[in-house]
């Protein structure tokens, strides 16, 4: 799906949440605001691209996500997102309701919102780069653990037995 080039905001009015037939989206150059959880429950979403001329957000290294450029925060992902090494934060509801097979947290990530992976389904592999000082997946536990507090960062992952 290509959005109109005049579009400025992706917010609750966009009504993408739960759209199970949306599989691809292109974010135009003019978008300056992307609300958290914009693609909640879009289980078929496989490809996200941001216009390379957009100054506010990007999809660097073809990561299949929307990254807020100034803060290096991943604000929206999909089932094929690759969290690249330049991402520092994973924002609120970034992957909420997604069907994810595999997720790898790079060493650069210093903050993961507690709702980032809320209601995610079908994880087969969750791992954290061993150089990450904030999070780990010790002993190949298939979970994301906050190192300082020794806690799972997401109650939903905990409840799924990961």
């Amino acid at each position: 799906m290509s959005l109109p080039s005049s579009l400025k905001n992706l917010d609750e009015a966009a009504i993408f949440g739960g759209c199970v037939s949306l599989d691809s989206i292109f974010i135009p150059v003019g978008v300056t605001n992307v609300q958290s959880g914009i693609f909640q429950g879009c289980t078929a979403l496989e490809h996200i691209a941001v216009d390379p001329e957009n100054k506010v957000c990007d999809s660097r290294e073809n990561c299949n996500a929307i990254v807020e450029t100034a803060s290096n925060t991943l604000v929206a992902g999909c089932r094929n997102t690759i969290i690249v090494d330049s991402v520092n934060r994973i924002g609120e509801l970034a992957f909420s309701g997604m069907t994810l097979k595999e997720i790898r947290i790079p060493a650069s990530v210093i903050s993961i919102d507690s709702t980032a992976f809320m209601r995610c389904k079908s994880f087969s592999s969750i791992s954290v780069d061993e150089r990450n000082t904030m999070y780990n997946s010790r002993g190949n536990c298939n979970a994301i653990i906050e190192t300082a507090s020794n806690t799972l960062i997401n109650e939903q992952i905990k409840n799924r037995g990961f």
Side-chain angles (χ1 to χ4, degrees):
M1 167 185 271
S2 287
L3 301 171
S5 60
S6 60
L7 188 68
K8 300 287 182 213
N9 295 301
L10 287 178
D11 57 22
E12 66 273 356
I15 313 180
F16 291 114
C19 183
V20 295
S21 62
L22 179 67
D23 63 356
S24 179
I25 193 158
F26 180 77
I27 310 302
V29 67
V31 170
T32 58
N33 178 42
V34 179
Q35 183 174 341
S36 62
I38 193 70
F39 301 123
Q40 272 190 88
C42 295
T43 55
L45 187 57
E46 294 185 351
H47 182 71
I48 299 172
V50 178
D51 189 303
E53 300 298 316
N54 190 305
K55 302 293 184 215
V56 176
C57 55
D58 63 76
S59 54
R60 59 190 71 170
E61 299 177 45
N62 296 313
C63 65
N64 280 312
I66 301 172
V67 178
E68 185 180 85
T69 305
S71 66
N72 294 312
T73 299
L74 192 149
V75 295
C78 66
R79 63 189 306 164
N80 290 329
T81 293
I82 298 168
I83 305 171
V84 296
D85 288 325
S86 58
V87 168
N88 294 330
R89 292 173 170 62
I90 302 173
E92 181 181 2
L93 304 170
F95 294 97
S96 181
M98 294 285 166
T99 303
L100 300 172
K101 299 291 183 201
E102 180 178 336
I103 202 80
R104 180 189 161 278
I105 307 299
S108 60
V109 172
I110 58 170
S111 175
I112 301 173
D113 187 88
S114 63
T115 64
F117 297 101
M118 188 170 72
R119 293 187 309 274
C120 283
K121 305 169 185 159
S122 303
F123 276 107
S124 61
S125 175
I126 303 171
S127 64
V128 179
D129 187 299
E130 62 187 30
R131 297 169 296 151
N132 189 302
T133 58
M134 302 301 288
Y135 301 98
N136 69 76
S137 55
R138 63 186 79 144
N140 296 317
C141 65
N142 209 29
I144 303 167
I145 301 169
E146 185 179 51
T147 301
S149 65
N150 287 319
T151 7
L152 291 172
I153 60 103
N154 186 302
E155 195 65 27
Q156 185 68 19
I157 293 173
K158 179 181 175 184
N159 289 338
R160 290 174 47 82
F162 291 114

